[in-house]
Structures are given as structure tokens and as C-alpha cells.
Amino acid sequence: MPAPARLIVNLDVPDLARAETFYCRALGLRVGRRIGAAAVELLGLEAPLYLLEQADGSVACDTSPVRRDYRRHWTPVHLDIAVDDLDTARAAAIAAGAVDETGVRAAPYGRIAGFADPFGHGFCLIEFNERGYDAIVTGEDAG
């Protein structure tokens, strides 16, 4: 039987030093390893976060005409970070340079706040209540 797969998260950024400072200050992450001059591993989440320096306007891949654009953008893949204290985490993210886009909103599973990092990437901070996502489970999986 093959070993279970492991999740790692890669995030392209135009300025590695600035991104490292932001994510360490905003989320309390720490540097694990430096990988050459253009990549750093950040630890402190359940999966390591790798910041990869890629120039604004550079080609994203050889098979697509899309170029990297670090203005605020939307993508269906984004980071949701579960925190124990949303108010403290929100204040740290804003102090580090995150743009608060939604304020704090109540949800059946707890409280959530949406942000943009300084590089246009969206992310959410979520403080789960005692039910967490079980509060919104439907169908056969509902307990």
C-alpha cells in the first residue's frame, strides 16, 4: 500500500522578503528552510506553506497565455486558516498589512473574516464554534 499523500501549499509572490514578513507576522508562522534565493518554507500550519518568488507579469505555465498578476484577484483555490481567537488573529493580519474585505461575519459553524494579502491573494480566518462544519453537514453525512 502506498504511503498517504501529504499536502503542501505553494504561493507565488512577487517579493519574497515582504511575503515572508507578512505571513510570519499575520499568521505567526516561522521559517523552516530556505530553498535557494527564491523560495522559503514557512511552518506553523498543518501543511507547510512555500512562498515562491515569481515576477509580476511572468508566464504562469507554458500551456497557457495567463501571466501572473498580483493585483487583487479571485481564484477558487484559497487559504482558509482556522484560528482559536478570530479577533486577535484578525488584528494581527491587519497590522501585518492584510486588507480586511468582509469584517467579521457570523456563520452556523462559527465566525469568519475575509482578507486580501499584500499580493492580491484572498484568504479567510475562521473561528469554529463547538459544532464546526458539522453545523452545515447535509444528507447521509449529517449526524
Side-chain angles (χ1 to χ4, degrees), residues 19-45:
E20 178 184 326
T21 298
F22 172 77
Y23 279 98
C24 287
R25 285 185 62 211
L27 302 176
L29 304 181
R30 67 188 182 288
V31 172
R33 301 176 288 178
R34 296 194 184 281
I35 305 164
V40 65
E41 173 189 62
L42 299 181
L43 303 175
L45 299 170

Side-chain angles (χ1 to χ4, degrees), residues 11-26 31 34 36-42 50-54 96 118-119:
L11 193 62
D12 291 353
V13 296
D15 182 331
L16 188 62
R18 186 171 167 223
E20 178 184 326
T21 298
F22 172 77
Y23 279 98
C24 287
R25 285 185 62 211
V31 172
R34 296 194 184 281
V40 65
E41 173 189 62
L42 299 181
Y50 290 85
L51 301 176
L52 310 175
E53 191 167 55
Q54 302 287 342
F119 316 102

